[in-house]
Amino acid sequence: MKKIFNTVFIVLLVFLSTINVYASTNTFNRNELENYGVNKNIENINSKLSYILNTKKVDASEKIYDFSDILTDEEEELLKTQIDKFIEDNNMDMVIVTDSFAYSYDKKNEEYADDFYDYNDFGLNIQYYSGVLLLRNTYSLDPYYHMSTSGKAQLYLNDSRINYILDNIYDDIHEGRYYEGFSKWIAYTDNYVKQGMPSTAGNYYLDSNGNMHRAKLKYHAPWGIAFIAGIVVALTIILIMVAKNKMVKKARKASEYLDQGSINITKREDTFLRSHTTSYTVSSSSGGGHGGGGHSFHSGSSGFSHGGGGRHG
Amino acid sequence: MAKEETKKKKKEDTLENRCPSCKASIKFNPKLGKWKCDYCGSEFTLEEMQAHSDNASGEKKNRKDAKVEDDNIEYVEYHCESCGAEIIADSETAATFCVYCGNTAILQSKLSGKFSPDLVIPFKNTKEDAITAFKGLSKGRPLMPKDFNNEQNIEKIRGIYIPFWLFDINNSGDIEMSATTVETWRIGDTHYTKTNYYRVIRGGTMDYIKVPIDGSTRFDNAIMNTIEPFDYNELVKYNHAYLSGFYAEKYDQEAKDVYAEAADRSINSTKEVFKNDTRVYATKTIVKDSIIAKENNRYYAMLPVWMVNVKYKDKMYIFAMNGQTGEFIGDIPLDVGKAILYFILIFAAAFAGVMILSLIVYGLGGVVF
């Protein structure tokens, strides 16, 4: 009986493994001895424990974590090949994660994405833990997708690039063509990284922990202005001093001798002749320099900074 | 006198003021506004002077008929009433001092006839006041050479009654101005500027009282302009007694020759009065004027001026002080070394100031240039 049961179980297992096209995703426990599965240099782990324990621990080498089971194994394999190439070409990690969870505010998606990246070993052996992550939240009431950038990826992908990518994968993601959507996401991201950093990146820098900061504008000593101001001020004061020494002036008027009571103005005519109107147009708000070229960033619960953006749909 | 010399001498009479009580020579004291005898200490008012002697009234006896002057006369010889010595003065001098006894010699012919002054403002301040004013020049004048205002540099200091022509002038006529007003407004991003053009005419009359022009070519007109104005409330009828103790000059420019300058000054002021009698215009330019100056009256007045001649580093500088108001003026040389030093210091301070300011602004996170 037991043998039969075993046989049935094995058959069932074999059967299941052949008909189940969806691969399952393994998660691991986080325990204190292994520093809760956190191998990155994160300060003050204990204060972040609630976030860490709420973040799924996965094998960071898999790169695709399809908790919502929306990709076939073949699709995952194809995507994995593309991701591996991206990682190798750009020395930057790349992760796709799908999951389904309710959220009361959009930022929850961002937090999920950032924490998933930070509390797993993504980008672990890469400078600044650099990498990009795409989260698909398949929450049926309000599906969402979010792209998160970490480390150097924050410099490569500014807001306008991220918006461009998000806008161009919207149709595929929204209509459930996930493989196409994710492939495009990989391709667009790869394209931008290979293009190099946008000029706007010059206004930002990463500190040794990979956190982004807005660079302070470089101080340009105003030599020219100081020189001109010096000349003008000195000249003005010297001329005033010189005038003190030059007292003799020829009189041109006789106002002191005017008998004020004798003034009798008998003729006052003010005739309007004509008017002339000129106009000029100032094109407003074209100034500002890096319109849309900024790099928005925020700190995740881990303390690492991330860029990114998301869409409903 | 040697015949070769073109200069001729001529004997003239002098007037002198004597103390009504002791008959010594007496001088006008500017601080007291009276005559004070240095010998007996008595003080006299003008009335007392006139009542007790023929001093002050002497000028009344001056012949009113203009004496025919020989144009070749450049030096004239006078007879000092006090010591009998002969005084030689040039042809413009009206009052001087006897080089022997120091008495004031008022030269009658220079102050009579057509040279008889109508009015005088007596001196109110003294030689010491002029010296004090000269020494005070350093105040607020950092570019004055050190020691320039040293009393030692004063070569000559003289209280002189300078001949002035005073003109009462009536102005009449009008001016035409082209004037504009400007309105600006904005619709959206477009800025509009509307300029309205007007023709503005103002006309009328006004009077100027006693515009002073000095009548002696020996004194620089600009210097005399700069010590103006005198306070005409103290203008009194001329009496030669006021001249005692001071130098005096007679005019060498006729009133008609200097009138144009007075008329021009009055016309410029009239234009200004008309120009200011308008509502607010953005711009006003006089395009036409037809102001006529008419001389109503003229007076020949003796006005008190302290002339201070200063010699500094072998160069002469002339200063003048209004003998009535104490206004002390003149051009002071510049200490070029000091000027350069100040320039460098101020430049450095302003330069450093801008640099520090820019660093502060940068430090506060502001936009830097």
Side-chain angles (χ1 to χ4, degrees):
Chain A
M1 184 62 194
K2 200 180 177 184
K3 198 172 184 180
I4 293 167
F5 180 79
N6 273 350
T7 314
V8 169
F9 181 78
I10 288 162
V11 168
L12 204 69
L13 209 70
V14 169
F15 177 76
L16 277 173
S17 65
T18 50
I19 63 148
N20 182 14
V21 293
Y22 295 136
S24 61
T25 304
N26 296 319
T27 58
F28 306 91
N29 289 329
R30 295 180 181 274
N31 61 61
E32 197 176 351
L33 283 175
E34 292 167 335
N35 199 30
Y36 306 103
V38 174
N39 297 313
K40 288 183 187 171
N41 183 20
I42 292 174
E43 284 172 22
N44 209 357
I45 282 276
N46 289 327
S47 67
K48 292 152 186 167
L49 219 49
S50 63
Y51 296 101
I52 295 170
L53 295 176
N54 278 329
T55 302
K56 289 171 175 161
K57 171 73 183 167
V58 296
D59 176 356
S61 64
E62 289 173 16
K63 308 299 177 198
I64 297 167
Y65 308 93
D66 187 17
F67 300 115
S68 299
D69 281 345
I70 52 177
L71 293 168
T72 65
D73 284 351
E74 284 163 351
E75 286 171 342
E76 279 190 30
E77 261 168 53
L78 287 169
L79 289 171
K80 180 76 167 49
T81 316
Q82 294 164 29
I83 286 174
D84 287 342
K85 187 168 183 331
F86 175 91
I87 291 168
E88 200 186 321
D89 285 1
N90 302 309
N91 190 30
M92 216 179 261
D93 211 344
M94 181 173 254
V95 183
I96 292 172
V97 54
T98 72
D99 207 339
S100 178
F101 55 93
Y103 60 95
S104 45
Y105 49 98
D106 295 354
K107 211 171 178 301
K108 260 250 178 342
N109 294 289
E110 180 184 287
E111 286 166 8
Y112 183 103
D114 295 344
D115 287 350
F116 192 76
Y117 191 91
D118 291 341
Y119 300 134
N120 283 299
D121 295 341
F122 300 119
L124 188 62
N125 296 314
I126 300 170
Q127 193 190 15
Y128 303 132
Y129 305 137
S130 303
V132 288
L133 178 145
L134 182 66
L135 164 70
R136 173 55 174 169
N137 183 355
T138 53
Y139 177 50
S140 56
L141 293 179
D142 190 4
Y144 197 93
Y145 62 101
H146 180 90
M147 173 176 175
S148 170
T149 57
S150 305
K152 264 159 68 177
Q154 295 172 97
L155 292 174
Y156 282 95
L157 297 159
N158 63 11
D159 294 348
S160 66
R161 287 182 172 187
I162 288 168
N163 286 330
Y164 181 85
I165 296 170
L166 294 172
D167 290 342
N168 282 282
I169 61 173
Y170 176 84
D171 287 345
D172 290 323
I173 303 275
H174 180 66
E175 281 155 33
R177 295 191 299 271
Y178 289 113
Y179 173 73
E180 287 80 0
F182 294 158
S183 287
K184 279 183 188 169
W185 176 72
I186 295 164
Y188 285 132
T189 304
D190 182 59
N191 185 36
Y192 274 137
V193 172
K194 289 211 167 88
Q195 271 182 29
M197 290 186 197
S199 60
T200 54
N203 298 325
Y204 302 84
Y205 68 94
L206 300 174
D207 64 21
S208 55
N209 294 320
N211 290 318
M212 186 137 100
H213 297 277
R214 179 173 264 281
K216 196 158 192 192
L217 287 170
K218 201 170 175 304
Y219 175 71
H220 295 287
W223 298 111
I225 289 170
F227 184 80
I228 291 165
I231 295 280
V232 169
V233 171
L235 215 56
T236 307
I237 294 176
I238 291 292
L239 286 177
I240 290 168
M241 286 179 174
V242 169
K244 292 264 185 200
N245 281 24
K246 176 108 184 71
M247 288 185 269
V248 176
K249 276 180 201 81
K250 188 112 188 72
R252 303 276 168 218
K253 286 176 187 162
S255 317
E256 296 117 320
Y257 308 99
L258 172 61
D259 176 5
Q260 295 290 335
S262 73
I263 299 173
N264 181 19
I265 295 183
T266 51
K267 202 169 175 187
R268 285 193 174 91
E269 286 173 35
D270 294 59
T271 317
F272 173 75
L273 299 175
R274 63 183 194 281
S275 70
H276 177 67
T277 304
T278 55
S279 68
Y280 64 95
T281 303
V282 181
S283 53
S284 63
S285 75
S286 65
H290 340 287
H295 298 240
S296 305
F297 60 98
H298 53 269
S299 282
S301 67
S302 63
F304 291 126
S305 75
H306 294 278
R311 295 279 188 278
H312 293 273
Chain B
M1 275 280 99
K3 284 275 174 195
E4 306 89 68
E5 279 190 85
T6 52
K7 294 166 187 175
K8 297 179 189 172
K9 280 189 180 179
K10 195 174 173 184
K11 285 258 183 185
E12 293 237 359
D13 297 327
T14 62
L15 294 172
E16 227 206 350
N17 295 288
R18 292 194 173 275
C19 173
S21 50
C22 72
K23 298 291 171 201
S25 187
I26 191 165
K27 282 182 183 172
F28 181 74
N29 185 315
K31 289 293 181 206
L32 295 169
K34 286 182 184 173
W35 285 260
K36 188 176 180 187
C37 177
D38 292 337
Y39 297 92
C40 67
S42 313
E43 295 175 15
F44 303 94
T45 64
L46 181 62
E47 289 71 28
E48 288 162 346
M49 289 285 286
Q50 285 172 323
H52 283 90
S53 67
D54 61 351
N55 286 330
S57 55
E59 51 109 20
K60 286 181 179 165
K61 293 192 286 186
N62 289 348
R63 285 155 296 165
K64 276 289 170 190
D65 52 316
K67 200 174 163 189
V68 179
E69 297 273 321
D70 186 337
D71 283 348
N72 288 331
I73 296 171
E74 287 184 16
Y75 291 88
V76 224
E77 196 180 277
Y78 299 95
H79 190 74
C80 175
E81 292 279 314
S82 184
C83 67
E86 293 200 334
I87 311 161
I88 296 173
D90 67 31
S91 62
E92 310 307 329
T93 303
T96 184
F97 293 87
C98 172
V99 287
Y100 303 101
C101 67
N103 273 342
T104 309
I106 300 161
L107 311 178
Q108 196 173 5
S109 71
K110 299 298 169 55
L111 295 161
S112 59
K114 68 171 190 169
F115 295 115
S116 178
D118 302 307
L119 301 164
V120 64
I121 293 178
F123 269 94
K124 271 187 88 177
N125 46 40
T126 62
K127 189 179 196 165
E128 286 68 38
D129 293 333
I131 292 168
T132 307
F134 175 70
K135 290 199 282 194
L137 280 178
S138 54
K139 213 177 244 173
R141 292 191 179 85
L143 299 188
M144 192 181 83
K146 195 170 177 275
D147 291 339
F148 177 77
N149 61 338
N150 191 322
E151 198 178 334
Q152 310 282 311
N153 295 333
I154 298 178
E155 277 235 323
K156 200 157 65 170
I157 179 159
R158 290 175 303 161
I160 309 176
Y161 279 101
I162 293 182
F164 270 83
W165 293 108
L166 308 181
F167 297 98
D168 287 349
I169 301 170
N170 169 266
N171 276 191
S172 64
D174 50 44
I175 62 165
E176 184 184 321
M177 292 172 275
S178 96
T180 60
T181 58
V182 178
E183 300 163 53
T184 57
W185 67 94
R186 218 185 108 170
I187 298 170
D189 291 335
T190 308
H191 296 250
Y192 296 89
T193 306
K194 184 180 177 189
T195 310
N196 300 307
Y197 295 86
Y198 296 86
R199 182 173 59 236
V200 179
I201 295 171
R202 288 292 179 276
T205 65
M206 61 197 72
D207 295 323
Y208 293 84
I209 310 297
K210 296 192 179 75
V211 180
I213 307 291
D214 91 80
S216 172
T217 47
R218 295 216 277 194
F219 299 98
D220 180 50
N221 276 13
I223 289 179
M224 291 305 138
N225 287 161
T226 314
I227 59 167
E228 282 180 34
F230 288 88
D231 177 4
Y232 289 156
N233 290 322
E234 289 168 344
L235 200 57
V236 294
K237 196 170 175 306
Y238 172 76
N239 188 302
H240 77 258
Y242 289 109
L243 269 51
S244 56
F246 300 97
Y247 290 84
E249 293 274 319
K250 75 171 185 61
Y251 68 82
D252 62 356
Q253 286 175 299
E254 297 284 343
K256 61 178 168 47
D257 296 330
V258 297
Y259 171 68
E261 194 187 328
D264 284 350
R265 284 175 63 179
S266 71
I267 288 170
N268 286 337
S269 288
T270 298
K271 283 184 194 171
E272 197 177 60
V273 169
F274 286 152
K275 202 174 172 182
N276 291 335
D277 180 66
T278 56
R279 68 184 179 93
V280 182
Y281 286 105
T283 62
K284 283 184 274 194
T285 317
I286 296 175
V287 289
K288 232 190 276 176
D289 69 271
S290 62
I291 296 164
I292 295 162
K294 190 170 108 289
E295 186 186 327
N296 281 346
N297 248 316
R298 78 170 66 151
Y299 311 91
Y300 178 35
M302 288 290 180
L303 302 184
V305 179
W306 288 101
M307 295 302 296
V308 182
N309 292 13
V310 173
K311 193 174 183 182
Y312 178 77
K313 292 195 174 162
D314 294 331
K315 274 182 83 177
M316 296 302 298
Y317 299 90
I318 295 171
F319 290 87
M321 185 171 86
N322 185 316
Q324 181 194 23
T325 64
E327 178 81 0
F328 192 96
I329 62 100
D331 287 342
I332 301 166
L334 290 175
D335 186 327
V336 178
K338 274 185 178 178
I340 292 169
L341 182 72
Y342 274 110
F343 186 90
I344 292 168
L345 288 175
I346 300 164
F347 173 84
F351 189 91
V354 171
M355 286 310 220
I356 290 164
L357 196 72
S358 77
L359 280 167
I360 290 169
V361 171
Y362 178 72
L364 296 174
V367 177
V368 176
F369 308 102

